[in-house]
Amino acid sequence: MARVLLVEDNVDLAYGLQNNLEIEGYEVRVAERGETGLEQAREWDPDLIILDLMLPDLDGYRVLQHLRKSGVMTPVLILTARGEESDKVLGFRLGADDYVTKPFGLMELLARVEAILRRVQGPSVSDAVEGQDAEEFGAVRIDVRSRTVLRDGIELSLTPKELDLLLALIRRRGAVVSRLELLQEVWGHRAAVVSRTVDTHISELRRKLEEEPSHPRHILTLHKAGYRFQP
Amino acid sequence: MARVLLVEDNVDLAYGLQNNLEIEGYEVRVAERGETGLEQAREWDPDLIILDLMLPDLDGYRVLQHLRKSGVMTPVLILTARGEESDKVLGFRLGADDYVTKPFGLMELLARVEAILRRVQGPSVSDAVEGQDAEEFGAVRIDVRSRTVLRDGIELSLTPKELDLLLALIRRRGAVVSRLELLQEVWGHRAAVVSRTVDTHISELRRKLEEEPSHPRHILTLHKAGYRFQP
DNA sequence: CCCACCCTGACAAATTCCTGACAGATCCTC
DNA sequence: GAGGATCTGTCAGGAATTTGTCAGGGTGGG
């Protein structure tokens, strides 16, 4: 869900807006000062910043300027009482995406927020040329992006749990991973199950991936300790 | 340079705006009627549409509605005398990107135009589907521009949602896309639906596109993960 | 009013998961 | 090194979850 950073020193207004934005389904954080706004913008990496121009410390324009200068291209909606055209033009020139003057209609503001977010995150999140995350060992090749596993070039179908388990092991290649850890990583933070669940899946993995399932070369058992993946 | 389509029946205003936009370096065309506006939007494929609501034939809202419904996602800036909040909210709801009420400051308008284009021009240029406006797989051929889909040379009619869904999958070909992501990309970022909506549309797509809908070769299910498009 | 489209809920089908049993391995103690 | 205790491998069946498909109703445009 989209994240909205609200930089506004008027606590009442901020609170009301936060509520309404949250009702719309956004995740909202409030910064009451320019400095904290800048920090949050950089660290939290919101999808939209609603920026009041009148702030106790830094001027809103300054905040915007700093952001853009430091390469933060998050959309910014300016919210202020200053309605002079020259103010607006300056705001846009500094890289704002919209400019709303107080007093404003709540519905309109929400609609504008939605319009900006629709435009920004509409096409696609942030993919296209993502880092190739592929793994390879023996005759096996794993493409995480497509959740595909090839062996000798032919695709074999791992179930979701199997793939997750395999990836959990690969992620910690060379190290022993206990059943409990695997349970937590793959199955979610749950109490220790006392059954053959993990082993069963390991067995299945070996059957599918290993040349000789009974003498595994990649998915090894460490007696009394757990399993270890060997590339 | 960016192309701006101005849909405005007031000739004086249109002329003045056209001049100013051209001075700013935009390529501008003017449509004085809603119908011609729609045509130009589809054929000329502008980067931005400035749309007056009061038009001799079609209502501006209708124009916008038609555009979005037929999948034209060009940014739209609404320009009108109607300043009621409900009008604005309606405009945004129909997919507008900005809403400026007359009388407006020229500088502000230009700044808003620039802001929208700045935001839009960035990522979408290198977009996988946008870059190429034809897709082909199996016996199927898609012309993105005209939103036409042929199979074995004969046209088959996909509904807007179906086509959007298909394009969302194609845009990330080879990668698993979860139902939630599809909901966000195709249905808007507000979705948290828990029903068979996505699946139903997928099913319909397969029925129309796949040779053997029950053994799809292009639109694949990744159990517990989502769907994946395979060219 | 009719039609296209979309969504929903219900059910069937498919897939995956878990469990318990048992056999085989391994370890440990004496 | 024998024997018992524990740990691991494997299997099959049913349980649980996830997906496919369909029909019906709502909606809005023409």
Side-chain angles (χ1 to χ4, degrees):
Chain A
M1 194 90 310
R3 298 188 288 193
V4 177
L5 173 60
L6 182 53
V7 186
E8 167 66 64
D9 63 316
N10 177 332
V11 184
D12 292 335
L13 178 55
Y15 183 73
L17 274 180
Q18 179 174 18
N19 269 350
N20 279 285
L21 287 166
E22 282 173 350
I23 289 171
E24 291 292 309
Y26 303 114
E27 192 181 342
V28 183
R29 286 196 194 177
V30 178
E32 295 178 21
R33 304 168 52 82
E35 280 295 353
T36 47
L38 273 174
E39 270 171 41
Q40 298 262 0
R42 278 194 272 258
E43 285 165 23
W44 190 44
D45 190 32
D47 299 296
L48 169 68
I49 301 171
I50 299 179
L51 181 61
D52 192 347
L53 284 187
M54 307 273 239
L55 294 168
D57 52 342
L58 271 180
D59 184 281
Y61 287 136
R62 289 302 172 88
V63 176
L64 178 51
Q65 203 167 20
H66 277 214
L67 279 178
R68 293 295 185 246
K69 231 173 179 170
S70 62
V72 179
M73 285 303 147
T74 312
V76 168
L77 184 155
I78 290 181
L79 184 62
T80 177
R82 286 151 76 172
E84 289 301 309
E85 186 173 24
S86 57
D87 291 325
K88 295 186 187 176
V89 172
L90 176 56
F92 283 115
R93 188 135 301 154
L94 291 177
D97 290 79
D98 205 342
Y99 193 109
V100 176
T101 53
K102 303 177 191 175
F104 57 87
L106 180 61
M107 289 297 113
E108 177 183 348
L109 182 69
L110 293 177
R112 284 183 182 274
V113 166
E114 197 182 327
I116 295 176
L117 287 174
R118 181 199 307 142
R119 186 56 66 189
V120 170
Q121 56 176 43
S124 67
V125 193
S126 63
D127 45 343
V129 198
E130 209 152 322
Q132 285 279 86
D133 29 20
E135 288 291 339
E136 222 167 331
F137 62 92
V140 177
R141 206 181 131 68
I142 308 175
D143 180 13
V144 179
R145 208 176 74 100
S146 62
R147 292 180 75 86
T148 295
V149 181
L150 303 181
R151 180 175 158 190
D152 296 320
I154 60 172
E155 181 165 352
L156 43 85
S157 62
L158 299 195
T159 71
K161 275 280 185 292
E162 283 161 14
L163 183 54
D164 289 345
L165 178 58
L166 177 58
L167 291 177
L169 284 171
I170 289 180
R171 203 176 303 130
R172 299 169 58 172
R173 74 198 65 186
V176 189
V177 192
S178 73
R179 288 182 177 66
L180 184 57
E181 289 174 299
L182 288 172
L183 272 174
Q184 293 185 347
E185 286 188 31
V186 178
W187 275 259
H189 315 284
R190 214 195 310 173
V193 178
V194 225
S195 81
R196 317 249 38 74
T197 303
V198 176
D199 307 66
T200 303
H201 285 271
I202 291 280
S203 172
E204 195 62 17
L205 272 181
R206 296 213 261 236
R207 200 173 64 71
K208 290 180 178 172
L209 300 177
E210 297 277 3
E211 302 266 340
E212 241 181 311
S214 52
H215 299 99
R217 293 174 50 195
H218 301 289
I219 303 173
L220 309 180
T221 301
L222 283 290
H223 200 266
K224 282 218 65 166
Y227 296 99
R228 175 160 63 92
F229 176 79
Q230 199 66 20
Chain B
M1 187 69 341
R3 299 190 285 196
V4 178
L5 173 60
L6 182 54
V7 187
E8 168 65 66
D9 63 316
N10 177 331
V11 184
D12 293 336
L13 178 56
Y15 185 74
L17 273 181
Q18 178 172 20
N19 269 351
N20 278 285
L21 286 166
E22 282 173 350
I23 289 171
E24 292 291 311
Y26 302 114
E27 190 181 341
V28 183
R29 286 197 195 175
V30 178
E32 296 178 21
R33 303 168 52 81
E35 280 294 355
T36 47
L38 272 175
E39 273 172 38
Q40 298 261 358
R42 278 196 269 257
E43 286 165 22
W44 189 45
D45 191 30
D47 301 295
L48 170 68
I49 300 171
I50 299 178
L51 181 62
D52 192 346
L53 284 188
M54 306 274 239
L55 295 168
D57 52 344
L58 270 181
D59 184 281
Y61 287 133
R62 290 303 172 91
V63 176
L64 177 52
Q65 201 167 22
H66 276 213
L67 281 177
R68 292 295 184 248
K69 214 163 184 185
S70 63
V72 179
M73 285 303 148
T74 314
V76 167
L77 185 154
I78 290 180
L79 186 62
T80 177
R82 283 150 77 172
E84 288 301 311
E85 187 177 23
S86 56
D87 291 326
K88 295 185 188 178
V89 172
L90 176 57
F92 284 114
R93 188 131 300 155
L94 291 177
D97 290 79
D98 205 344
Y99 192 110
V100 176
T101 52
K102 304 176 187 175
F104 56 87
L106 182 59
M107 288 298 112
E108 178 183 347
L109 182 69
L110 293 176
R112 283 184 183 274
V113 167
E114 197 183 324
I116 294 177
L117 287 173
R118 181 201 308 141
R119 187 57 65 189
V120 170
Q121 302 252 301
S124 79
V125 178
S126 59
D127 196 282
V129 174
E130 250 69 52
Q132 243 194 347
D133 39 29
E135 284 294 333
E136 222 167 331
F137 61 92
V140 177
R141 207 182 129 69
I142 307 175
D143 181 0
V144 179
R145 189 65 74 76
S146 65
R147 295 178 70 84
T148 307
V149 181
L150 303 181
R151 180 175 161 189
D152 296 320
I154 60 173
E155 180 164 353
L156 45 84
S157 62
L158 299 194
T159 71
K161 274 281 184 291
E162 283 162 14
L163 185 53
D164 287 344
L165 179 58
L166 179 59
L167 291 177
L169 283 171
I170 289 180
R171 196 181 304 131
R172 298 169 61 172
R173 77 199 62 184
V176 186
V177 191
S178 73
R179 289 183 175 67
L180 184 59
E181 290 175 297
L182 289 171
L183 273 174
Q184 299 192 89
E185 290 191 22
V186 177
W187 276 262
H189 60 73
R190 176 184 310 232
V193 183
V194 221
S195 79
R196 315 246 45 75
T197 304
V198 176
D199 306 65
T200 303
H201 285 269
I202 290 279
S203 176
E204 195 62 17
L205 272 181
R206 295 213 261 235
R207 204 173 61 72
K208 290 180 179 173
L209 300 178
E210 296 277 2
E211 301 265 338
E212 240 182 313
S214 53
H215 299 101
R217 293 175 50 196
H218 302 290
I219 303 173
L220 308 180
T221 301
L222 285 281
H223 202 268
K224 269 223 85 174
Y227 295 99
R228 173 159 62 95
F229 176 79
Q230 201 66 18

